[in-house]
Amino acid sequence: MRTMLCWILCLAAAPAMAAVQLDKLSLPKGFHIEVYSDQVPNAREIALGAKGTVFVGSNDAGKVYALTDSTGSGHADKVRVIASGLQLPVGVAFKNGDLYISAVSKILVLRDIENHLDTPPKPEVVNDKFPTETHHGWKFIAFGPDDKLYVPIGAPCNICDKGKDYAKLVRMNADGSGREDVAYGIRNTVGFTWRPGSHQLWFTDNGRDLMGDEMPSDELNKLSKAGEHFGFPYCHQGDTLDPEFGKGKNCKDYTPPVLKLGAHVASLGLRFYEGSQFPASYKGALIIAEHGSWNRSKKSGYRVMTVRLNGDKVASYEPLLEGFQQNEQAWGRPADVQPLADGSLLVSDDLAGAVYRVTYARSNSAPAGALSKP
């Protein structure tokens, strides 16, 4: 979430798990959606194991979940808690049989986890030198094509200047050694991925609050070289100086976003779609989960979006999945997306405590409860 205040308000205002309402969702023609599991409270980042296990981080009592579909039905028939009592373990990343977990100030690992789902090992500490602040302290994590683990360090505030100690992205070796800074001026990224082929890193970033309904926009960014600065807290959305910290600064000195995603949409997890199940126009597109606004007079976000690219330029930005809120009332909040090997797409929802599976079948009728746009 975008601020600690948001976290407190949302927990106070929302039920622990809202009811899943698939009949309220709409998708492009030919797309369908079903529940993969509705037993994952506060589901956040998704990672895939080598044997097909779906790992899901959460902020529910410090738990991490393992979901298995042993029959190939497209639904998880077993949900296991493989870790508990951790501090906001929303981030999960799988590498060489091991599951890495973010826990605010620590990165932990469960060794050889897919062979021990029923008797999970005790988490080992990989690195415990991250800041202890929980404000933007819960972390999306991922391994890059360089085999290094990338970890964000969010700004511990709505808007502040902490130099290069915060508001950045770092990477380190799988054993926790060799930590180095990758990019700066990133308020709070809760989603990043690498483009197949070029291996360039693309990431979302949540804009600051308390500048009004329409300012500033969340961002979709691309990293071209290590050490780039993306503007926070001096310049927002590539073209707007901060009223306090922007004095004497110039937005031209910072890397602008590839795309303005919209104000307060709370853009989180994203992945490039490389499967063959969806129509060809989705190949190479970015799929982005937008968690939804908490501090806007009219809600924004609460949807999953498709960004098609022409080179490094945006060709289109349109909904894949929407309907998580109607009439300013939300029942779901997308947090992450993850394509599966069969070309379908998982979507986590931390408000309904569910993971959904989006499929495409041009000639098939939609499953009960899943709506397609005409």
Side-chain angles (χ1 to χ4, degrees), residues 257-268:
V258 175
L259 176 65
K260 297 177 185 178
L261 297 172
H264 310 300
V265 298
S267 52
L268 302 187

Side-chain angles (χ1 to χ4, degrees), residues 246-292:
K247 292 181 175 64
K249 305 293 184 180
N250 190 327
C251 282
K252 293 181 179 179
D253 294 332
Y254 309 106
T255 302
V258 175
L259 176 65
K260 297 177 185 178
L261 297 172
H264 310 300
V265 298
S267 52
L268 302 187
L270 76 167
R271 300 292 194 288
F272 282 97
Y273 183 80
E274 287 296 301
S276 57
Q277 183 179 132
F278 291 5
S281 62
Y282 286 84
K283 188 85 167 183
L286 268 169
I287 311 294
I288 303 177
E290 294 185 352
H291 198 227

Side-chain angles (χ1 to χ4, degrees), residues 180-246:
E180 59 182 339
D181 293 350
V182 174
Y184 305 103
I186 302 169
R187 180 176 178 269
N188 184 36
T189 178
V190 194
F192 42 89
T193 191
W194 288 264
R195 193 174 190 180
S198 71
H199 290 171
Q200 280 191 315
L201 187 149
W202 291 64
F203 65 95
T204 56
D205 192 15
N206 287 182
R208 65 157 291 180
D209 301 316
L210 306 180
M211 281 182 67
D213 273 5
E214 304 302 334
M215 288 289 296
S217 178
D218 281 11
E219 300 174 0
L220 173 62
N221 293 293
K222 174 177 65 71
L223 180 71
S224 297
K225 59 182 179 181
E228 275 185 281
H229 197 296
F230 290 85
F232 181 86
Y234 316 117
C235 174
H236 308 295
Q237 64 176 39
D239 57 15
T240 301
L241 291 173
D242 187 79
E244 179 181 358
F245 294 98

